[in-house]
Amino acid sequence: MVTYFIEKCNEVVKKKNCFSVVLSGGKTPEPIYRLLTSKKYKDQIPWKKIHFFFGDERTVDIDHPDSNYRMAKDSLFDKIEIPSENLHQMYTGSKDLYFECQVYESQLDRILPKNDHGVPIFDFIFLGLGEDGHTSSLFPDSTALDEVDRWVAPVYVEKLKSWRITVTFQIINNSSNIVFVVVGKNKANIVKDIFLNGHHGKYPAESVTSKNTIYWFVDRGIGERLF
Ligand code: 6PG
């Protein structure tokens, strides 16, 4: 996983002199972010050329344990030197989450190249997988699943009784390199269901599609259940 990210990052920076990456939240990616800044890998990454974005954010303060920004700051940003203008935090502090989404969309519009339909193109996106098959904050039965106009949308997560904001599928699916990172035996069945039982549309993660290869990095326990 780490070497794949480093390879793609250097490949793109060599071509474009910059690299845009969407960070996933939750717990799974934290050790990966820490590994990227470890002595073994840190110097292989052109940090100052990278623009960091977020796939979703919870409606909590930046110092709240559930904040995706806080997790990335603790495990990644605080260990590297990059221009502050390269960090694109998703703000969720105002009561008007639609406004916050528009603010974030304007950043994507300003910074990222677009496809023929005007949709921003990220170079790389990290995605996690929830036990219910959600990814980013695109949860089952949420209104954001069918969002075709917005690039970033507010979403109320009934089971968590909380609001979040999330990138939508048109942004995810327009990314050049899509990577799922899934760890934990509690997710083995869902990964197996997605891979071995075909696309039956039961899980939001199945709506992640791409003209490029989508890579799934899973732990050994999950991998052994697939083959
Ligand atoms: C979030 C993530 C979400 C996460 C999954 C898995 O903000 O929660 O974007 O999609 O990747 O919920 O979370 P864990 O890695 O904590 O299992």
Side-chain angles (χ1 to χ4, degrees):
M1 162 72 260
V2 168
T3 49
Y4 180 74
F5 173 80
I6 293 170
E7 175 200 321
K8 286 299 167 189
C9 181
N10 283 290
E11 184 185 292
V12 172
V13 166
K14 196 169 168 194
K15 278 187 206 148
K16 304 192 325 182
N17 199 34
C18 63
F19 183 69
S20 59
V21 56
V22 180
L23 298 178
S24 170
K27 295 178 182 56
T28 302
E30 184 166 356
I32 294 169
Y33 301 160
R34 291 188 188 282
L35 203 50
L36 285 169
T37 63
S38 66
K39 264 195 288 199
K40 181 173 180 183
Y41 296 108
K42 187 173 184 177
D43 295 341
Q44 299 175 39
I45 300 168
W47 295 108
K48 290 184 172 23
K49 304 288 187 187
I50 302 176
H51 278 260
F52 290 96
F53 295 83
F54 286 82
D56 65 338
E57 186 56 281
R58 294 86 179 275
T59 48
V60 293
D61 292 340
I62 191 174
D63 55 359
H64 190 283
D66 287 349
S67 163
N68 286 339
Y69 185 85
R70 173 183 160 175
M71 182 271 282
K73 181 178 182 300
D74 293 349
S75 58
L76 179 59
F77 302 150
D78 284 353
K79 303 172 187 308
I80 56 177
E81 283 180 28
I82 57 171
S84 57
E85 62 269 21
N86 286 23
L87 291 187
H88 306 280
Q89 181 184 348
M90 261 186 178
Y91 291 95
T92 58
S94 89
K95 291 272 176 274
D96 185 350
L97 289 180
Y98 282 97
F99 170 72
E100 301 281 24
C101 290
Q102 284 164 357
V103 168
Y104 210 68
E105 286 177 337
S106 62
Q107 289 196 63
L108 307 190
D109 192 40
R110 177 170 55 85
I111 295 166
L112 298 173
K114 313 282 190 309
N115 71 4
D116 296 345
H117 304 286
V119 181
I121 305 169
F122 281 111
D123 293 312
F124 198 102
I125 185 166
F126 282 103
L127 292 174
L129 181 72
E131 291 183 41
D132 56 3
H134 80 262
T135 191
S136 200
S137 279
L138 296 162
F139 282 79
D141 306 321
S142 74
T143 52
L145 294 180
D146 302 319
E147 180 57 65
V148 292
D149 298 318
R150 295 178 186 279
W151 301 337
V152 184
V155 57
Y156 183 70
V157 186
E158 182 59 43
K159 70 180 197 181
L160 301 175
K161 300 285 186 248
S162 70
W163 284 90
R164 297 187 172 189
I165 68 174
T166 182
V167 291
T168 57
F169 284 121
Q170 67 169 329
I171 286 289
I172 293 174
N173 295 346
N174 200 39
S175 302
S176 303
N177 292 281
I178 301 174
V179 163
F180 278 92
V181 186
V182 189
V183 167
K185 58 180 182 304
N186 55 331
K187 300 182 184 177
N189 285 335
I190 199 158
V191 174
K192 189 174 173 186
D193 213 10
I194 290 174
F195 271 89
L196 302 188
N197 299 345
H199 279 245
H200 38 49
K202 187 174 164 189
Y203 306 118
E206 293 183 271
S207 294
V208 175
T209 57
S210 174
K211 60 183 186 308
N212 303 326
T213 305
I214 297 174
Y215 284 85
W216 287 69
F217 293 88
V218 300
D219 65 15
R220 181 185 302 275
I222 295 174
E224 284 167 353
R225 298 281 298 273
L226 297 179
F227 302 100

